[in-house]
Amino acid sequence: PSSTSSRASSACPPPPTGNKPTMEGYYWLQFGILAIACAGLEMQKAGNKERVAMPDTFISFRNLYLFVYSLMMAGDWLQGPYVYALYQHYGYSTGDIGKLFIAGFGSSMIFGTVVGSMADKYGRKNAALTYCVTYIASCVTKHWSDYNVLMLGRFFGGIATSLLFTSFESWLVAEHFKRGYEAEWLDKTFAKAIFLGNGLVSIVSGLLANFLVTDMNMGPVAPFDAAACFLAIGGVVILFTWSENKGDASESTTVQQGMQQAYAAIASDKRVFYLGAMQSLFEASMYSFVFLWTPALGPNGEDIPHGMIFATMMVACMVGSSVASRIMSRPDTRPEKYMQTVFLASAASLSIPVLTRSLGMESDGYKGGPITFEGKVQMLGFLVFEAMVGIFWPSMMKMRSQYVPEEVRSTVMNFFRIPLNLFVCVILYNVAMFPLAAMFAMCTLFLLIAAALQKKLEQLTEGPVYKKAAGMGPP
């Protein structure tokens, strides 16, 4: 499902040294059930002979993209769990670290739209290569403990994040239709990309980062060096195997004109506006959740295994993407309709911490003790939310591929991220001012508004005109 690094860094405090043996079974049971469900869904899917009617050229094209996307996501996920820990290792206070995080989101917000417009004008392949270079530069800065150098690293990281979440998807959509492939095959590529990049790769990256730091004793900079290696390999593959694609008529358009066109597309087309608003609302809730789940599950300093919980959440996300793949493969099912349910289920899952407090369910937890009953109830809700994240990404990608104009695709997608980054900066800056229940209530409200907007989008796109266009690719 931010950047994803910031999602991984949800385990902000360094992971505790151990957990009560009696409680380990509880975490393994959850992980096992979700892993079995995930494997079952994937095996069932594989048994449906998905290769039917897909030419070998498309299979090769898709596999190459998935390989590159997985490498790019590994470069992002590897850094996540140790960003906060590295800054602590260098002796910086929580306030100083907060400012570094704000710098990353602020950089993404300010420069994101510019780099998005430049991707449309100068090419999405060039933008993907720029992502590799800027993120490697960000990793290299982690070798210095100087605050200004670390701030520069966050600046590079913010730009890289904007490119990761826009240029790769823009390249894929444009290249897919340029090669004359069927629109419905794109849905499957989206679902597989989320399953691999946001699910499997995140778990493996977390384990590898932990192995490098804990087992190999290579220090908290090691995951950043490993990330740079993955990014470099991916960059070489992109350089020699990807063809370039740009926004239509981009040669005669300046970057400023491209940004104006993107703004006009959002202002004049309600479908694009609703999509952007829903994306901002959902991602704002998701990134807030990143900072909230740790204190929610261990409000009194309970001994919770952050790494195990994070891995379980990622498996839940993989289950969601597997379900999304099945739903989207049905010709009679539209994301405009079922996404309303996804937003409502997300709202219900994040309202659980509000309900447990209002119903007086707070248990007598203590520092270093096991997770409380309240924590267990909330954990189940959080796993449901992660499954909804797994459905959200490929479904949102499908709707964007249908409604966002090709010529300004990257720019529009970065415009969508401005409110998100602004919101996260405000939350990070004032995180101590809001009680936990109030933060979860705000997330719930955002998701309810998203569900209402999704209903409006469904009403707007009903009818034969839409159904004809939906099978034809981007308008």
Side-chain angles (χ1 to χ4, degrees):
S2 53
S3 72
T4 46
S5 282
S6 48
R7 293 190 68 200
S9 65
S10 40
C12 281
T17 50
N19 195 38
K20 298 284 184 284
T22 51
M23 292 306 300
E24 281 180 5
Y26 165 73
Y27 297 108
W28 279 109
L29 180 66
Q30 282 185 329
F31 183 85
I33 290 170
L34 286 167
I36 291 166
C38 185
L41 284 165
E42 286 301 300
M43 285 166 65
Q44 193 177 9
K45 212 159 57 176
N48 292 341
K49 294 184 180 173
E50 205 178 359
R51 281 173 172 264
V52 173
M54 285 185 186
D56 288 341
T57 52
F58 171 72
I59 300 291
S60 302
F61 165 74
R62 183 185 70 185
N63 290 348
L64 176 64
Y65 175 78
L66 292 173
F67 175 66
V68 169
Y69 185 74
S70 296
L71 285 172
M72 299 298 104
M73 294 304 289
D76 191 41
W77 284 115
L78 271 164
Q79 302 177 50
Y82 287 94
V83 175
Y84 196 97
L86 180 74
Y87 296 151
Q88 277 190 325
H89 174 72
Y90 286 147
Y92 290 109
S93 67
T94 306
D96 289 334
I97 295 171
K99 285 173 191 165
L100 287 167
F101 275 96
I102 290 170
F105 286 107
S107 160
S108 188
M109 177 178 70
I110 294 164
F111 297 102
T113 43
V114 178
V115 295
S117 188
M118 290 176 77
D120 288 328
K121 180 170 173 57
Y122 298 109
R124 283 75 181 258
K125 176 184 175 179
N126 284 332
L129 289 170
T130 306
Y131 163 76
C132 297
V133 172
T134 51
Y135 227 179
I136 288 171
S138 177
C139 292
V140 170
T141 62
K142 301 298 187 288
H143 283 270
W144 283 267
S145 60
D146 183 81
Y147 195 75
N148 292 325
V149 176
L150 292 174
M151 186 65 82
L152 182 66
R154 292 301 297 176
F155 167 77
F156 282 133
I159 294 173
T161 300
S162 292
L163 290 165
L164 174 63
F165 288 104
T166 54
S167 56
F168 290 90
E169 184 183 327
S170 296
W171 181 88
L172 173 66
V173 173
E175 200 66 22
H176 182 97
F177 290 115
K178 192 166 84 175
R179 297 183 183 208
Y181 297 138
E182 297 288 332
E184 65 200 52
W185 299 349
L186 186 61
D187 307 343
K188 290 191 170 72
T189 307
F190 285 149
K192 283 181 183 296
I194 297 304
F195 180 85
L196 291 170
N198 292 42
L200 197 60
V201 169
S202 66
I203 296 169
V204 174
S205 298
L207 293 171
L208 176 58
N210 188 64
F211 174 75
L212 291 172
V213 175
T214 309
D215 300 318
M216 299 288 287
N217 286 322
M218 294 173 74
V221 183
F224 298 92
D225 292 337
C229 293
F230 281 109
L231 293 166
I233 294 165
V236 171
V237 175
I238 292 168
L239 185 64
F240 291 107
T241 62
W242 280 24
S243 56
E244 187 59 277
N245 66 56
K246 304 175 183 178
D248 298 340
S250 61
E251 297 297 332
S252 58
T253 309
T254 66
V255 170
Q256 189 178 357
Q257 285 171 329
M259 291 171 71
Q260 288 169 347
Q261 286 175 9
Y263 176 76
I266 297 169
S268 62
D269 190 338
K270 279 187 177 178
R271 299 173 307 173
V272 179
F273 173 75
Y274 288 153
L275 265 186
M278 287 185 295
Q279 181 181 322
S280 291
L281 289 164
F282 187 90
E283 289 192 36
S285 302
M286 187 181 78
Y287 283 107
S288 299
F289 173 71
V290 163
F291 301 107
L292 297 176
W293 73 259
T294 298
L297 296 179
N300 306 299
E302 284 85 354
D303 192 357
I304 58 170
H306 294 86
M308 185 71 188
I309 292 171
F310 178 72
T312 307
M313 286 178 175
M314 292 302 101
V315 177
C317 183
M318 290 166 72
V319 169
S321 68
S322 287
V323 170
S325 182
R326 290 166 66 91
I327 296 171
M328 291 195 300
S329 64
R330 296 178 190 163
D332 59 332
T333 311
R334 298 173 52 207
E336 289 81 1
K337 190 164 185 68
Y338 71 73
M339 280 303 291
Q340 296 168 43
T341 308
V342 169
F343 287 134
L344 289 172
S346 302
S349 64
L350 291 192
S351 69
I352 289 175
V354 184
L355 294 172
T356 53
R357 276 161 179 73
S358 60
L359 295 172
M361 279 178 67
E362 291 99 328
S363 310
D364 295 327
Y366 55 93
K367 188 174 177 62
I371 189 170
T372 61
F373 175 72
E374 177 197 11
K376 288 183 184 178
V377 172
Q378 291 181 134
M379 176 75 180
L380 291 173
F382 294 168
L383 293 176
V384 171
F385 179 71
E386 282 294 339
M388 295 304 108
V389 170
I391 299 174
F392 167 83
W393 283 117
S395 305
M396 182 57 74
M397 287 172 172
K398 177 176 182 174
M399 290 190 289
R400 282 199 299 253
S401 73
Q402 289 169 351
Y403 301 133
V404 178
E406 165 58 28
E407 62 271 16
V408 287
R409 184 178 303 280
S410 296
T411 318
V412 167
M413 286 165 64
N414 268 308
F415 268 134
F416 290 173
R417 294 181 63 80
I418 291 175
L420 158 71
N421 285 311
L422 182 63
F423 173 77
V424 174
C425 285
V426 170
I427 290 298
L428 275 173
Y429 195 73
N430 300 299
V431 72
M433 288 173 59
F434 301 100
L436 213 55
M439 299 280 276
F440 277 108
M442 183 175 58
C443 292
T444 304
L445 178 63
F446 283 178
L447 293 165
L448 290 173
I449 296 169
L453 292 174
Q454 186 70 67
K455 178 68 178 173
K456 281 183 170 292
L457 181 65
E458 187 206 3
Q459 292 167 345
L460 204 61
T461 56
E462 272 179 329
V465 177
Y466 161 80
K467 279 160 186 165
K468 185 183 172 191
M472 290 169 61

